[in-house]
Amino acid sequence: MKNKLIKVHPEDNVAIALTDLWQGDRLDFEGEEVIILSDVKAKHKITMVDLEPESKIYMYGVLVGKATSNIKRGDVLTVDNVKHQASTTTGKTETVSYTAPDVSKWKDRTFMGYHRNDGQVGTQNVWLFFPLVFCENRNVELLKDVFEKELSFHKSSKQRKLLRNLISGENIELSEDKTPDEEPIFDNIEVRFITHQGGCGGIRQDAVSLSKLLAGYVNNPNVAGATVLSLGCQNLQIDIFQNALDAINPDLDKPVLIYEQQQEGTIDEMLNKIIRESFDGIKKANEIQRQPAPLSKLKLGLECGGSDGFSGISANPSLGYASDLLAALGGSPILSEFPELCGVEQELVNRCVDDEKAERFLKLMRAYEDAAEASGSGFDMNPSPGNIKDGLITDAMKSAGAAKKGGTSPIQDILDYGEYVTKPGLNLLCTPGNDVESTTAMVGSGANVVVFTTGLGTPTGNPIAPVIKVASNSILAGRMPDIIDIDTGAVIKGEKTIEEMGEEILEYIINVASGETIAKADQNDQNDFIPWKRGVSL
């Protein structure tokens, strides 16, 4: 490795170790000698100046913390000598100038997608089963067992085959053969199933919020039709769900089959009716074929999870460049995870296209942080033990790197949880920083593909949208090849630029959107779905 340290922004007073460093190492950095005062693991930070208690620490050109003790130049930053601190923002201070990247090589490119009558284009063709309330989870699971076994949508897992061999008295090595046990009945439709723990028992606002999320899943262009199960007495009534559908798309013409158990009779009678009518819908949905679509029809969820100290200098900015390319092509990137935007609010506010958008962003951020503090927590408690272990020791430090997923393009719209993306260009969506809750929300707001960066590795997927995993480092990509799609470690090693890596990511997105490449999360049948419950249980 050519360089052992990197400073992300000229105004930073810390540098990131690109490899393990040892006490006494002498490095030539920016024309000066740096003496390493203590052992430093790769991904962690050292100060480039002497710091006193209360001294401000800058990274990515923004305030990310303050010293709590004396830290000498060349020493490592830890949770014992640094505390979270972020800049305050009161409003827009300037309009950031922006030059869009050259997208001439992509302007005539298309992906092969599923065209819906409302003008949206899906990257997958899914018939979706879900309940309005957790009381129907068992019935959804029964339907899942029936449809998956009889339609052969899924392969037997290697672990199931192992147990089968053990039961028969055999203990043989498992083949890597991934051929399905049987050929699927349909070749152009997937049947997916969602269960959840909501719909009743909480405050009414939670039921309304869940209705908007589920309506967004039905309206998502990746869904061809849906089967919806209701008990009948729950908070999330059928009319609330239908009103949410009408609000998102009053002209929705997809088949949506709704069944209320308390009106249907016995379980067998209801399930038999559901199977007959859903099977007919699935057969018709299988007739829909992929057709060329412009890249402007892509709505790209931008996610990170299991982040490390390299995420903000390799995977995230590479994805950010791909986001800028897509925005310039008329697509709609979606940046969420509001707790992980703490500390970079001023930059984001200044990127908003008008004062109204800037004010709404700050209002949502403040309301969210106030709610977190009222519960005895706060954004400063966002970094996980894994984040901290791998160099992200304050929320502002984590946020400054996480925000790089959104690139540098102007912010066209600000959405609250459950609102649907309608504008081309970069959109900000209020969600938690939790990986699955955030991914779930972006797909509910219309994302038809998601790119998920990670430094530590995570298997997260989604029931209706492909989730592409991008590793921040080559060690992770080599250790967990079954969940990683793209390795950006070449950026850390100085072998590729952010722009080159971003272009590779966009090409991969196009291949996945066209069905030419299957994302690892889909190969693993990783279908995660967690709604955000903002209220208390009653």
Side-chain angles (χ1 to χ4, degrees):
M1 183 176 292
K2 181 179 178 181
N3 297 315
K4 295 186 177 182
L5 289 173
I6 184 173
K7 191 162 73 171
V8 183
H9 190 277
E11 296 180 8
D12 293 352
N13 56 6
V14 299
I16 305 167
L18 297 178
T19 186
D20 290 345
L21 303 174
W22 309 104
Q23 182 178 1
D25 283 353
R26 294 174 178 269
L27 307 178
D28 182 20
F29 184 70
E30 295 186 337
E32 297 182 359
E33 184 181 62
V34 179
I35 302 174
I36 305 302
L37 300 185
S38 55
D39 293 347
V40 183
K41 289 185 177 180
K43 309 177 187 180
H44 285 259
K45 288 79 183 170
I46 65 169
T47 176
M48 305 309 295
V49 298
D50 290 341
L51 298 173
E52 298 178 349
E54 302 299 318
S55 294
K56 295 180 178 180
I57 298 170
Y58 292 90
M59 193 174 165
Y60 299 97
V62 299
L63 179 64
V64 297
K66 64 179 180 180
T68 58
S69 61
N70 290 309
I71 313 174
K72 295 294 185 182
R73 183 174 188 267
D75 212 348
V76 64
L77 304 184
T78 71
V79 291
D80 296 321
N81 58 23
V82 172
K83 185 177 180 179
H84 167 83
Q85 186 173 2
S87 299
T88 58
T89 305
T90 57
K92 197 168 185 178
T93 59
E94 62 176 318
T95 299
V96 177
S97 60
Y98 176 70
T99 302
D102 180 9
V103 292
S104 55
K105 66 185 287 187
W106 284 284
K107 65 182 180 66
D108 295 323
R109 289 286 298 278
T110 60
F111 71 98
M112 298 296 289
Y114 296 96
H115 291 248
R116 310 302 179 189
N117 291 338
D118 62 2
Q120 296 188 97
V121 180
T123 64
Q124 293 186 334
N125 197 34
V126 174
W127 188 278
L128 184 64
F129 288 76
F130 63 86
L132 294 183
V133 62
F134 56 80
C135 307
E136 291 298 316
N137 282 348
R138 179 178 180 274
N139 288 330
V140 172
E141 292 290 354
L142 288 171
L143 291 165
K144 179 180 180 180
D145 183 64
V146 169
F147 277 91
E148 288 188 349
K149 285 183 177 178
E150 294 305 317
L151 299 184
S152 298
F153 280 108
H154 297 274
K155 315 169 188 69
S156 291
S157 70
K158 289 189 290 185
Q159 287 70 36
R160 181 179 170 189
K161 291 178 180 177
L162 171 61
L163 180 58
R164 186 185 304 161
N165 290 342
L166 293 173
I167 291 171
S168 64
E170 300 179 34
N171 190 6
I172 59 177
E173 291 294 322
L174 294 176
S175 169
E176 289 299 320
D177 179 24
K178 296 186 178 181
T179 303
D181 291 345
E182 300 177 25
E183 288 299 317
I185 303 298
F186 302 123
D187 59 1
N188 207 38
I189 184 76
E190 291 283 343
V191 179
R192 299 284 171 82
F193 303 82
I194 284 174
T195 58
H196 57 80
Q197 301 304 315
C200 201
I203 59 176
R204 295 298 190 271
Q205 291 92 325
D206 276 338
V208 172
S209 178
L210 180 59
S211 73
K212 293 179 180 178
L213 178 70
L214 294 173
Y217 269 68
V218 173
N219 193 60
N220 189 293
N222 291 0
V223 171
T227 298
V228 184
L229 277 66
S230 168
L231 178 60
C233 57
Q234 73 275 359
N235 288 346
L236 206 177
Q237 290 285 295
I238 291 175
D239 65 329
I240 294 175
F241 170 68
Q242 290 178 323
N243 288 339
L245 270 179
D246 290 341
I248 290 179
N249 190 346
D251 298 320
L252 183 75
D253 63 351
K254 296 178 184 178
V256 182
L257 312 178
I258 303 178
Y259 304 88
E260 187 161 272
Q261 184 172 356
Q262 291 170 348
Q263 301 297 320
E264 293 288 345
T266 68
I267 292 176
D268 281 348
E269 289 172 333
M270 181 180 73
L271 292 181
N272 291 345
K273 180 180 180 182
I274 291 173
I275 290 170
R276 289 190 184 97
E277 295 180 356
S278 298
F279 182 70
D280 185 57
I282 291 167
K283 284 195 299 183
K284 293 177 182 177
N286 186 61
E287 297 172 2
I288 305 170
Q289 300 292 319
R290 290 184 183 270
Q291 300 291 335
L295 300 186
S296 60
K297 294 297 184 179
L298 291 174
K299 294 180 179 178
L300 177 65
L302 309 170
E303 182 62 35
C304 62
S307 298
D308 70 348
F310 285 165
S311 292
I313 60 176
S314 59
N316 290 347
S318 296
L319 176 55
Y321 188 72
S323 170
D324 286 343
L325 292 171
L326 184 61
L329 289 162
S332 301
I334 308 167
L335 181 64
S336 59
E337 301 178 289
F338 271 30
E340 297 181 9
L341 301 179
C342 174
V344 294
E345 293 97 333
Q346 189 65 65
E347 175 195 340
L348 296 174
V349 163
N350 290 343
R351 285 169 57 189
C352 289
V353 292
D354 56 46
D355 291 342
E356 180 184 356
K357 301 292 187 300
E359 290 170 5
R360 188 169 198 226
F361 170 61
L362 288 178
K363 182 179 179 180
L364 289 172
M365 282 288 287
R366 288 166 182 159
Y368 194 167
E369 187 164 20
D370 288 346
E373 291 175 354
S375 69
S377 184
F379 286 176
D380 61 311
M381 298 180 70
N382 177 261
S384 70
N387 296 150
I388 294 169
K389 182 180 178 182
D390 267 50
L392 301 176
I393 60 175
T394 73
D395 183 61
M397 187 179 291
K398 180 179 179 181
S399 296
K404 295 299 179 184
K405 302 191 303 294
T408 58
S409 61
I411 296 167
Q412 301 293 334
D413 207 1
I414 307 295
L415 305 174
D416 198 0
Y417 183 82
E419 294 180 337
Y420 205 82
V421 171
T422 60
K423 294 184 178 180
L426 181 62
N427 289 249
L428 298 191
L429 173 66
C430 183
T431 78
N434 176 286
D435 304 351
V436 179
E437 286 179 315
S438 175
T439 302
T440 296
M442 288 190 290
V443 175
S445 290
N448 53 8
V449 63
V450 176
V451 177
F452 189 128
T453 66
T454 182
L456 304 176
T458 173
T460 301
N462 184 268
I464 68 168
V467 179
I468 300 167
K469 291 292 168 40
V470 178
S472 71
N473 62 89
S474 298
I475 293 175
L476 168 62
R479 185 174 66 247
M480 304 180 79
D482 57 328
I483 68 170
I484 297 299
D485 297 285
I486 302 171
D487 175 17
T488 62
V491 173
I492 300 296
K493 291 176 280 191
E495 298 169 356
K496 291 182 181 178
T497 66
I498 294 294
E499 292 76 17
E500 289 171 337
M501 202 73 244
E503 291 186 356
E504 287 188 24
I505 291 173
L506 181 57
E507 289 288 353
Y508 201 92
I509 291 169
I510 295 169
N511 289 338
V512 169
S514 299
E516 297 173 5
T517 300
I518 307 301
K520 297 291 179 62
D522 276 346
Q523 292 179 33
N524 296 330
D525 293 324
Q526 187 79 35
N527 300 317
D528 301 305
F529 180 86
I530 301 179
W532 183 17
K533 185 175 180 180
R534 300 170 96 163
V536 296
S537 289
L538 298 176

